[in-house]
Amino acid sequence: MRKVSRLKPLPHEAGLGLLTLALLALVTLLFPQFLAPDNVKSLLDDTALLIMMAVGEMFVLLTRGVDLSVAANAALTGMVVAQFNAAHPQAGVVPVLLIALAMGAGLGLFNGLLVWRLRLPSIVVTLGTLSIYRGCVYLVSGGAWVNSGQMSPAFLDFVRLPVLGLSMLSWIGFGTAGLGWLFLRYSNAGRNLYAAGNNPEAAAYAGIDVGRMQCLAFLLSGTISGLAGYLWTARFGVAYTDVASGFELQVIAACVIGGVSITGGVGGIAGVVLGGLFLGIIKTALPVVGISPFFQLAVSGLVITVAVILNSTVQRKTHGRKILEPAEAAS
């Protein structure tokens, strides 16, 4: 029986990479100044924040959870470190970084414990803590802003420190993605996150505490969000109640576009990075093209919807090929 040759579909990361390059080429063709060095550096800085928070969100999604409080965590942590710096400008950046990491970790751990110990749905827990953390920003600040004039030069300049042509912010953002890749690929805990989300029952039989893995994922997500809170505040030079409001949707979108399954157990850091870059190019290009801000949210929503449909279609086809491959080989 003659075999029919079929072209194998591109891996998701490769397809998304080509799509991102095509989008970049189209925007550059229409507006050559889009690739001006200053514009590229600004794009990378904005995208770095999105990518690092998406990496944290990915850990949670891998365990069949979702963290809606990442942006609120960043806003609360950013306000606290800004107030600390305003009160103690001579302390330097190191205490600020430690406070951001510790506070972000604490807020993430609170989410994780509620999900793990009380067996509550993560979407319900983080929807509640999103509002709690946002409210705490107002309580901590009394509704007042902390502006760049109240922040020390060291606090503001750290994220702009140039290293090999890129800012420290970009290095931290993409470095977070690199550390996330190493964690998922080479650590037992990273592999257990995949197992816990791919088949929780089998993982439990194998001795993996699925609840503990979910708690770890929330802890990691919170830690990264806390760090992003300081970086965000220092980059834009302001801390207020609505910092990063709604940004959690873009974070989840970067994960979904990057191929992370919302049903758990599937996804990779490379896809998340590409998803963040894809969204970053769109966000930067829409104002240049002249699209009204009122339509930008609709365009982003359309991109997310299409990505979800494509991901679910690819996953179904992949499962089907795995079932049919032995039969085709036998023939």
Side-chain angles (χ1 to χ4, degrees):
M1 186 175 184
R2 188 177 63 180
K3 294 183 180 179
V4 179
S5 61
R6 300 178 185 176
L7 291 176
K8 293 185 178 180
L10 285 173
H12 182 85
E13 289 83 358
L16 180 58
L18 292 175
L19 183 61
T20 302
L21 289 175
L23 175 64
L24 182 61
L26 176 61
V27 175
T28 305
L29 182 64
L30 296 174
F31 300 93
Q33 68 273 20
F34 187 78
L35 284 183
D38 289 342
N39 191 54
V40 171
K41 290 179 180 179
S42 179
L43 170 63
L44 290 177
D45 283 346
D46 290 339
T47 307
L49 287 167
L50 174 59
I51 287 174
M52 66 185 297
M53 293 177 71
V55 168
E57 185 71 50
M58 174 188 168
F59 295 146
V60 179
L61 291 174
L62 287 178
T63 63
R64 299 193 177 188
V66 63
D67 189 353
L68 299 177
S69 68
V70 288
N73 182 330
L76 178 55
T77 305
M79 175 59 75
V80 170
V81 297
Q83 289 187 324
F84 172 82
N85 176 253
H88 307 282
Q90 74 286 352
V93 176
V94 173
V96 169
L97 290 171
L98 293 177
I99 292 172
L101 291 169
M103 185 169 181
L107 297 177
L109 181 61
F110 180 67
N111 288 333
L113 290 175
L114 290 177
V115 173
W116 177 24
R117 293 302 188 183
L118 300 183
R119 300 181 183 274
L120 297 175
S122 61
I123 190 171
V124 175
V125 169
T126 57
L127 187 60
T129 55
L130 181 158
S131 300
I132 293 173
Y133 298 163
R134 283 288 175 190
C136 287
V137 179
Y138 181 83
L139 292 175
V140 168
S141 65
W145 291 28
V146 180
N147 298 308
S148 58
Q150 300 168 265
M151 302 173 186
S152 70
F155 183 93
L156 295 169
D157 293 343
F158 177 74
V159 298
R160 299 171 178 80
L161 184 67
V163 180
L164 299 178
L166 294 179
S167 70
M168 181 62 71
L169 174 57
S170 293
W171 283 110
I172 292 176
F174 290 96
T176 300
L179 291 175
W181 180 81
L182 292 173
F183 170 74
L184 291 174
R185 185 172 181 86
Y186 294 107
S187 71
N188 289 331
R191 290 189 290 270
N192 288 344
L193 289 180
Y194 280 103
N198 187 48
N199 193 328
E201 292 79 11
Y205 278 118
I208 299 173
D209 190 329
V210 176
R212 188 184 296 272
M213 288 298 102
Q214 285 186 316
C215 188
L216 172 63
F218 277 105
L219 173 64
L220 294 173
S221 176
T223 303
I224 294 173
S225 296
L227 177 59
Y230 159 61
L231 299 176
W232 185 300
T233 302
R235 168 162 168 69
F236 296 105
V238 64
Y240 60 99
T241 306
D242 292 330
V243 161
S245 180
F247 196 68
E248 61 275 354
L249 299 181
Q250 292 192 44
V251 170
I252 295 173
C255 292
V256 173
I257 293 172
V260 180
S261 174
I262 57 177
T263 58
V266 176
I269 295 294
V272 170
V273 172
L274 290 171
L277 287 172
F278 185 80
L279 283 179
I281 292 172
I282 290 179
K283 182 180 178 181
T284 306
L286 289 180
V288 175
V289 175
I291 295 179
S292 168
F294 296 102
F295 291 102
Q296 291 177 23
L297 186 60
V299 172
S300 298
L302 178 62
V303 170
I304 296 169
T305 303
V306 171
V308 171
I309 295 173
L310 291 176
N311 283 347
S312 61
T313 302
V314 169
Q315 288 172 17
R316 285 198 298 269
K317 288 182 178 181
T318 301
H319 292 158
R321 285 198 303 272
K322 287 181 179 178
I323 295 174
L324 293 175
E325 277 173 1
E328 292 175 353
S331 61

